[in-house]
Amino acid sequence: MRFSGHDTFHCKEQWLLKGLELIGNQDSTSPFRNENAIYKLGVGKNMVRSIHYWLRSFDLIDEQNKFTEYSKYLFLGHKYKYDCYLENPSSLFLLQFLLATKRFASIYSLIFLEYFKDKVNMEFSEIQIMNFIKRILSEKQIEKFNENTIKSDFKVFIRTYVSPKKNFKTIEDDFSAPLLSLKLISDTGRKNELNQPVYKINKRVRLELSEHILAFCILDYFKGMNTIDFTDISSKIGSVLCLNIEGLEEIIGRLCSNDKRFIFKNDTGIKQLQVKDNSLFMKEDMLKEVYENG
């Protein structure tokens, strides 16, 4: 379980590309510990650590600071360099999927995949998430943790998705967080009994979500599976992309209509997605449909 490493900085717009370029231009196995990183990235020492943290959190690099397949797809090389400046909304949905499912930064998977799985109400506040995380830690028999660290992590989580109240000091920060534009979470404008803001997960139909990005996420999460229950897709992929049932069915219907390698079955109330070829080639083909043919 990890609730620190970002040094209280949420991810900024160009940090991911800059961090990957830093790794690509150095021979060092620890480029973020090199003093030159401060000058090359143009940020302070704490922000250098934060950039490294976010690259790991989005699963763009591994523990040896090597590029993963995902960084190669989006940011690097000639074959896969699809959207290094994150101009396509599909790229942001892909980053959201990676952040919430790869589990390096624990709070994202805990909130999107665990906290709401038995709830109808999509609202939450800091105290509710704090109590939930402390219960999870207790169940895992993790007794030593810093409550202030988790509170700080929650604030970074919120800044990742919700615009702060605008003023002269925050306006530049506001527009630099890449996932803000997805509007996955909103501030309800209400406060709880502790005077904490109440937030809401915006589960809805998302017409802006490409069916091929959804397919990529399904193929990546359910590796090698040729028959996948709709309920599993909804509880995993639908939850992290904030899709309601209607929205998920709409996009899967669109996918099956446009690509005959996907078949949606609804027999005797059991809904399943059948995939003819759940392979790495198929995954890459989904991205080609988005970035080269879309």
Side-chain angles (χ1 to χ4, degrees):
M1 305 294 282
R2 183 179 290 100
F3 302 98
S4 63
H6 44 63
D7 280 85
T8 72
F9 296 108
H10 63 281
C11 186
K12 310 296 175 64
E13 190 74 51
Q14 297 301 320
W15 275 10
L16 301 178
L17 178 59
K18 286 183 176 180
L20 293 172
E21 289 176 339
L22 177 72
I23 296 172
N25 293 331
Q26 291 196 33
D27 296 328
S28 170
T29 56
S30 303
F32 295 93
R33 295 182 181 178
N34 192 317
E35 289 188 7
N36 289 334
I38 295 174
Y39 306 105
K40 291 186 176 182
L41 292 172
V43 298
K45 187 175 182 179
N46 289 357
M47 284 190 178
V48 170
R49 288 197 298 265
S50 186
I51 291 173
H52 187 209
Y53 166 88
W54 287 113
L55 288 174
R56 291 296 314 278
S57 297
F58 285 106
D59 205 32
L60 299 177
I61 59 173
D62 61 20
E63 60 272 15
Q64 281 85 40
N65 294 319
K66 302 292 186 183
F67 301 133
T68 65
E69 60 179 304
Y70 309 108
S71 60
K72 293 175 183 176
Y73 292 144
L74 279 177
F75 296 97
L76 304 168
H78 299 291
K79 181 180 179 182
Y80 301 120
K81 194 174 182 179
Y82 287 135
D83 189 21
C84 60
Y85 296 109
L86 303 179
E87 297 170 320
N88 190 325
S90 294
S91 305
L92 302 181
F93 280 110
L94 178 54
L95 287 176
Q96 164 64 10
F97 165 76
L98 296 173
L99 180 61
T101 61
K102 300 306 178 180
R103 299 179 184 270
F104 182 85
S106 301
I107 196 168
Y108 298 87
S109 58
L110 286 174
I111 291 178
F112 284 105
L113 287 171
E114 302 296 333
Y115 180 74
F116 288 102
K117 67 181 180 182
D118 58 352
K119 292 179 173 60
V120 176
N121 190 328
M122 292 288 104
E123 294 183 353
F124 66 100
S125 62
E126 180 182 310
I127 187 64
Q128 291 174 305
I129 298 301
M130 287 294 299
N131 290 338
F132 173 71
I133 290 175
K134 285 192 281 187
R135 178 168 61 81
I136 294 294
L137 293 174
S138 176
E139 291 173 355
K140 293 181 177 292
Q141 298 183 330
I142 301 173
E143 298 178 356
K144 293 184 178 180
F145 63 90
N146 188 318
E147 189 166 322
N148 287 331
T149 298
I150 301 175
K151 287 182 178 179
S152 176
D153 199 29
F154 178 80
K155 287 179 173 58
V156 172
F157 172 89
I158 293 299
R159 286 299 307 278
T160 300
Y161 300 102
V162 182
S163 299
K165 292 183 179 179
K166 294 179 177 60
N167 59 51
F168 181 76
K169 292 183 178 180
T170 64
I171 191 165
E172 183 180 352
D173 239 13
D174 181 6
F175 290 104
S176 67
L179 298 184
L180 279 179
S181 62
L182 295 181
K183 302 186 186 316
L184 302 182
I185 298 176
S186 60
D187 187 335
T188 66
R190 293 183 283 105
K191 300 284 183 73
N192 64 10
E193 62 277 6
L194 299 177
N195 202 37
Q196 296 173 339
V198 176
Y199 302 98
K200 181 181 180 181
I201 299 282
N202 296 319
K203 274 199 168 187
R204 57 179 176 81
V205 175
R206 294 187 175 274
L207 299 176
E208 73 276 21
L209 175 57
S210 161
E211 65 269 27
H212 294 105
I213 282 294
L214 178 72
F216 178 93
C217 296
I218 293 171
L219 296 173
D220 187 82
Y221 194 91
F222 300 99
K223 287 182 175 64
M225 294 178 61
N226 299 109
T227 300
I228 309 164
D229 286 344
F230 179 83
T231 53
D232 291 334
I233 298 173
S234 177
S235 65
K236 304 303 182 185
I237 312 304
S239 292
V240 301
L241 300 182
C242 299
L243 281 164
N244 59 18
I245 297 296
E246 180 186 354
L248 184 58
E249 288 183 337
E250 188 276 331
I251 299 178
I252 287 180
R254 208 192 314 152
L255 173 67
C256 295
S257 296
N258 296 335
D259 193 324
K260 300 307 178 185
R261 292 173 293 182
F262 295 91
I263 300 171
F264 187 62
K265 294 283 189 179
N266 187 3
D267 298 329
T268 63
I270 299 176
K271 300 177 183 179
Q272 294 179 327
L273 180 67
Q274 295 181 353
V275 186
K276 291 187 177 179
D277 177 28
N278 192 339
S279 65
L280 178 61
F281 171 80
M282 182 80 149
K283 267 191 356 180
E284 293 179 351
D285 207 32
M286 294 301 100
L287 294 187
K288 289 178 182 177
E289 287 294 331
V290 174
Y291 295 105
E292 296 181 2
N293 303 329

